[in-house]
Amino acid sequence: MESSWEITRRLARWALFLAIIAGLVYCVWRIRAVVMFVLLAVILTYILLPGVDWLCRTRNRHLSERGQRLIATLLVVIFCLAMITAMISLFAVPFSRELGEFTTFVRVNFGRYVGQLPAFLTHISETFELNVDLKDFLSRPDLTKLGSVISQFGAWTVQVASSSIRVALDVFLIPVLAFYFVYDYRSI
């Protein structure tokens, strides 16, 4: 049979172990954004490193080894950022144009479609066998809440735009870290 002192020591060890684990989990939770940025920068470094090594394969006698690596790193990072920018512009510009055309279409034709909505809903309720509650709902649509829905959407849009500034700064941090990782990865 163990003495009470041994049981107390064992419980104290487990409590200390659990406290250390909880502290580590808390620390990781608090720095999760930084860990994520560093992880993404390491992944980007892994992608860019072969290009830099390939450009540094032949020695240039006019440049030092670090100078040649700096120029190769700049060239590869600038090329990668140009490719990302080109891909975004190829997809974002047509999307924004289509979105602009859609909002113009909705703004111009909104009244006409809202005017046709009761007749359409009546047609639907007569054509299909609908539940009584659903027929009641469709027979008198409540458009009074439309303004509040639109204002909530506007508030959400402003919130997304303001948080986009933070995201843009975070996205800028990843290539900068990747640049330094690629440039001087041997000393890390």
Side-chain angles (χ1 to χ4, degrees):
M1 184 114 195
E2 291 182 275
S3 68
S4 63
W5 177 249
E6 286 295 320
I7 294 172
T8 306
R9 279 186 51 207
R10 189 175 296 166
L11 287 174
R13 277 189 209 151
W14 274 105
L16 179 64
F17 177 73
L18 290 175
I20 289 172
I21 295 296
L24 287 173
V25 167
Y26 176 75
C27 288
V28 168
W29 177 257
R30 294 296 290 184
I31 62 171
R32 67 188 182 277
V34 173
V35 170
M36 184 59 75
F37 294 142
V38 171
L39 181 66
L40 289 173
V42 166
I43 291 170
L44 188 59
T45 301
Y46 183 73
I47 293 169
L48 299 178
L49 202 54
V52 173
D53 289 340
W54 182 76
L55 287 175
C56 292
R57 191 176 51 195
T58 35
R59 276 294 287 135
N60 187 337
R61 58 187 165 100
H62 301 294
L63 294 172
S64 67
E65 186 177 333
R66 290 186 60 86
Q68 185 176 355
R69 184 151 191 94
L70 175 66
I71 291 173
T73 304
L74 282 172
L75 287 173
V76 169
V77 168
I78 288 171
F79 177 75
C80 178
L81 291 177
M83 293 300 292
I84 290 171
T85 304
M87 287 189 305
I88 289 173
S89 67
L90 286 174
F91 292 111
V93 172
F95 178 74
S96 65
R97 184 176 42 240
E98 290 293 326
L99 187 61
E101 290 174 5
F102 175 72
T103 56
T104 303
F105 175 79
V106 168
R107 190 173 349 118
V108 169
N109 297 311
F110 184 72
R112 187 176 76 190
Y113 289 120
V114 168
Q116 295 175 357
L117 186 62
F120 174 71
L121 294 177
T122 305
H123 171 71
I124 292 292
S125 64
E126 290 172 356
T127 305
F128 301 104
E129 295 178 19
L130 299 177
N131 187 333
V132 174
D133 293 333
L134 188 57
K135 276 187 179 181
D136 185 45
F137 173 74
L138 290 177
S139 66
R140 45 190 170 87
D142 187 15
L143 299 178
T144 58
K145 297 178 182 173
L146 186 61
S148 67
V149 169
I150 291 173
S151 67
Q152 287 175 353
F153 179 73
W156 175 80
T157 304
V158 169
Q159 182 182 4
V160 167
S162 63
S163 68
S164 295
I165 294 171
R166 183 177 158 271
V167 170
L169 290 175
D170 294 344
V171 168
F172 178 74
L173 179 67
I174 295 168
V176 169
L177 284 173
F179 172 81
Y180 285 112
F181 290 163
V182 169
Y183 176 62
D184 204 13
Y185 74 96
R186 289 184 183 108
S187 67
I188 295 177

